């Protein structure tokens, strides 16, 4: 695909996505200028190689710019006079066919002709002074302007018409032919500098018309006038006579010569300079997009690191807060609990507390111990949720501080004020089912209690077997039948006890994962803001900006 074709497609993409691009709050000056250039490129491409020429009239207040425009239009269309701000917005005259073509194109792509301006039609017989932010237009049936669109641009005086000047500069790229209208006082006016140079850069046809209100004959070979020709980039200056206020040019020879020269312009300005002008604007948006993505990536990494660090320092959920002590004690000494001194201690403690010797014997040493413990094996889900919510609250405060004190946060909040609100509103329900984790843990513990025996422990856990062998070896040097079992509880306190230890740690890890998922889900809302202020790699708008930026590199 040719470079020009790629740029045209990029222009069409941006025109179709104009509102979405604006929603990212990129630098407005660059974004709007780029959208205007894209609309212009899409319009020129849609109108084709035989499109009409856009001829714009550029001048200070009172130079006769609107008078010349009306004279070419053949009617009083644009308001004339010496009054400041006479022409406050563009006034356009074009053929009916042109307006139909524009309408057809805009139905496909969106607004193309001066997209930043609202469009108002001027009825026949009305005089238009132009309006800020508006394009006043009217249709013509004059065949001599079949291939030319006449545009009376706003006044360009810096002091008296600053806003009009800025609008005229914005509309300058739309012209194929720039007509600089001057008089005896403004021939060397510096206000034209901002328009003469872009006209050359954009490869526009250029004309200079001098409304001579003096009595002396103008010598075009004078050094000053030749310097003016060089400044405007023209080979000659059309000198029009003084016709008096309120009148129009008609049969004056120099006016007719200028009109014929303007009508003969058949080479519309090329697209290449537009794309060259668009390149630095696109690059500015690309740089800003990259800066935002890097800032968001840095923040995201900081938040992830904060979550990992906080969870790593956080102690596991203590079972004693949510499970009966007797059940915990039995589970901790699974395997040798029937002989352990610690179980004898628990037996005596429970008997003293409850006064029920039978219940205590059954719980510590009885054959139905697994049934009794299973019946008591119920974690307090309410207390567990309170503990988890308190931990989440602590983590959220740390995350908020991390966001607010991050180096990039201030810049992100200026781009998207909702970023601060989202950062301070970290809150939400648990991202996972605590009840499901509790139910799984209880089921696994009941299975362990049901299958518990010395034989099972020795078979399933080599460490238990090693501990039993060590205890039996010590038995030869201590009181037979007692010393080894007195040693066993202390020994097992320092080595993993097998199935229950794994089950407990897995449960604690599940709770920890639920906390982590909850926090990650809550900071996900910041990623939603990310998608509203930065373009992703696969976004067509980003690809269009990259296509434009290649013109800058070349």
């Amino acid at each position: 695909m040719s470079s020009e074709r790629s740029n045209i497609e990029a222009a069409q993409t941006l025109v179709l996505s104009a509102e979405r691009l604006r929603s990212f709050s990129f630098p407005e000056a660059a974004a709007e200028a780029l959208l205007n250039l894209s609309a212009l490129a899409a319009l020129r491409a849609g109108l084709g190689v035989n499109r009409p020429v856009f001829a714009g009239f550029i001048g200070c207040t009172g130079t006769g710019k609107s008078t010349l425009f009306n004279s070419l239009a053949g009617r009083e269309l644009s308001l004339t006079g010496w009054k400041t701000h006479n022409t406050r917005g563009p006034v356009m005259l074009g053929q009916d066919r042109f307006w139909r073509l524009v309408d057809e194109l805009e139905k496909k792509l969106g607004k193309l002709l001066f997209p930043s301006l609202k469009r108002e039609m001027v009825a026949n017989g009305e005089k238009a002074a132009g309006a800020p932010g508006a394009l006043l237009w009217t249709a013509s049936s004059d065949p001599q302007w079949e291939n030319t669109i006449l545009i009376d641009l706003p006044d360009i005086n810096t002091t008296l018409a600053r806003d009009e000047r800025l609008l005229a500069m914005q509309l300058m790229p739309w012209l194929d032919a720039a007509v600089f209208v001057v008089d005896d006082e403004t021939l060397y006016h510096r206000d034209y500098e901002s328009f003469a140079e872009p006209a050359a850069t954009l490869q526009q046809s250029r004309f200079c018309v001098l409304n001579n209100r003096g009595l002396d004959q103008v010598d075009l070979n004078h050094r000053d006038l030749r310097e003016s020709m060089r400044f405007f980039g023209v080979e000659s200056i059309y000198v029009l006579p003084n016709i008096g206020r309120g009148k129009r040019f008609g049969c004056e020879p120099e006016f007719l010569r200028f009109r014929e020269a303007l009508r003969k312009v058949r080479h519309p300005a090329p697209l290449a300079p537009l794309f060259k002008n668009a390149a630095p604007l696109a690059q500015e948006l690309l740089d800003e997009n990259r800066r935002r993505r890097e800032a968001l990536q840095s923040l995201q990494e900081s938040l992830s690191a904060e979550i990992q660090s906080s969870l790593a320092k956080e102690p596991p959920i203590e079972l004693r807060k949510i499970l009966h002590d007797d059940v915990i004690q039995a589970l901790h000494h699974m395997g040798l609990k029937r002989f352990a001194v610690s179980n004898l201690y628990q037996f005596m403690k429970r008997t003293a507390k409850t006064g029920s010797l039978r219940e205590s014997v059954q719980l510590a040493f009885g054959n139905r111990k697994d049934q009794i413990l299973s019946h008591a094996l119920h974690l307090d889900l309410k207390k567990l949720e309170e503990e988890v919510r308190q931990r989440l609250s602590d983590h959220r405060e740390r995350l908020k501080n991390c966001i607010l004190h991050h180096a990039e946060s201030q810049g992100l909040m200026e781009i998207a004020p909702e970023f601060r609100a989202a950062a301070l509103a970290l809150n939400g329900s648990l991202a996972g089912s605590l009840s499901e984790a509790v139910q799984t843990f209880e089921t696994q513990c009941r299975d362990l209690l049901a299958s518990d025996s010395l034989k099972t422990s020795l078979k399933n856990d080599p460490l238990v077997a090693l501990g039993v062998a060590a205890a039996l070896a010590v038995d030869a040097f201590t009181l037979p039948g007692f010393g080894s079992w007195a040693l066993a509880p202390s020994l097992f306190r320092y080595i993993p006890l097998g199935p229950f230890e794994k089950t407990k740690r897995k449960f604690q890890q599940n709770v920890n994962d639920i906390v982590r998922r909850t926090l990650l889900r809550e900071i996900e809302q910041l990623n939603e803001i990310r998608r509203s202020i930065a373009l992703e790699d696969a976004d067509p708008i980003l690809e269009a900006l990259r296509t434009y930026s290649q013109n800058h590199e070349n």
Side-chain angles (χ1 to χ4, degrees), residues 347-367:
F347 162 73
M348 296 172 62
K349 180 180 177 182
R350 184 176 180 83
T351 302
K353 183 178 180 180
T354 64
S356 174
L357 179 62
R358 180 178 179 181
E359 183 181 349
S360 299
V361 170
Q362 185 70 351
L363 183 59
F365 307 104
N367 293 329

Side-chain angles (χ1 to χ4, degrees), residues 207-493:
F207 299 86
C208 181
V209 176
L210 169 61
N211 276 304
N212 181 27
R213 296 188 176 89
L215 300 177
D216 298 334
Q217 185 175 358
V218 177
D219 181 8
L220 296 178
N221 290 318
H222 191 277
R223 183 180 61 183
D224 290 344
L225 286 182
R226 296 188 68 83
E227 182 63 22
S228 295
M229 294 179 198
R230 186 200 62 78
F231 171 77
F232 287 114
V234 298
E235 295 180 357
S236 64
I237 296 178
Y238 296 90
V239 182
L240 302 182
N242 184 20
I243 59 172
R245 184 178 301 181
K247 297 182 180 179
R248 297 200 310 262
F249 296 103
C251 300
E252 294 79 4
E254 196 68 359
F255 168 74
L256 296 177
R257 191 168 73 88
F258 163 71
R259 185 180 67 178
E260 189 62 23
L262 186 61
R263 288 178 54 195
K264 287 182 178 180
V265 176
R266 292 290 181 268
H267 301 288
L271 287 172
L274 293 182
F275 296 132
K276 188 173 182 179
N277 281 2
L281 300 172
Q283 189 61 52
E284 181 179 347
L285 299 190
L286 286 172
D287 292 341
E288 173 64 15
N289 191 70
R290 182 175 62 253
R291 187 189 69 79
R292 293 183 183 186
R293 290 180 61 174
E294 289 175 352
L296 289 163
Q297 181 66 27
S298 173
L299 177 60
Q300 188 175 16
E301 290 173 357
S302 295
L303 292 176
S304 297
E306 177 64 28
I307 291 175
Q308 293 288 31
S309 174
S310 298
L311 292 177
K313 297 175 183 177
E314 190 173 62
I317 295 289
E318 296 184 34
L319 290 183
R320 64 180 179 79
K321 293 184 178 181
I322 55 177
L323 186 61
H324 198 282
D325 286 342
D326 293 330
V327 180
I328 296 174
Q329 186 65 32
L331 290 169
H332 268 303
H333 296 282
M334 196 173 296
L336 297 177
K337 61 183 179 297
R338 287 176 176 80
F339 308 99
V341 172
S342 60
N343 266 29
L344 180 61
Y345 166 73
Q346 290 296 326
F347 162 73
M348 296 172 62
K349 180 180 177 182
R350 184 176 180 83
T351 302
K353 183 178 180 180
T354 64
S356 174
L357 179 62
R358 180 178 179 181
E359 183 181 349
S360 299
V361 170
Q362 185 70 351
L363 183 59
F365 307 104
N367 293 329
R368 296 181 59 250
K369 182 174 183 176
D370 61 314
Q371 298 177 19
I372 297 174
L373 290 174
S374 295
H375 183 72
L377 184 60
H378 290 291
L379 276 68
D380 192 326
L381 182 59
K382 184 176 180 181
K383 289 184 178 179
L384 177 61
E385 287 183 349
E386 290 176 356
E387 175 70 17
V388 171
R389 291 188 186 283
Q390 181 57 50
R391 295 188 177 202
L392 280 172
S393 178
D394 295 340
H395 288 305
R396 286 169 183 143
E397 287 304 315
R398 284 191 285 270
L399 289 177
K400 290 175 185 178
N401 288 331
C402 180
I403 293 172
L404 295 177
H405 292 93
H406 192 273
E408 302 292 349
S409 292
Q410 189 60 40
L412 292 173
M413 289 174 186
E414 291 176 0
I415 296 168
E418 64 271 22
F419 184 85
R420 175 183 289 273
L424 297 177
L426 293 176
N427 200 2
S429 59
L430 293 175
S433 174
L434 283 176
S435 60
E436 183 179 347
V438 166
Q439 185 177 3
T440 300
F441 176 69
E442 291 177 350
T443 300
Q444 291 173 344
C445 288
R446 288 192 179 95
D447 291 341
L448 291 175
L449 286 170
S451 63
D452 176 44
S453 67
L454 178 59
K455 180 179 179 181
T456 302
S457 296
L458 295 175
K459 178 181 178 182
N460 293 337
D461 198 333
L463 290 175
V464 173
L466 181 62
V468 171
L472 294 175
V474 173
D475 189 41
F477 305 99
T478 58
L479 294 175
F482 178 77
S484 60
W485 307 116
L487 177 65
S490 298
L491 177 65
F492 293 159
R493 188 171 300 163

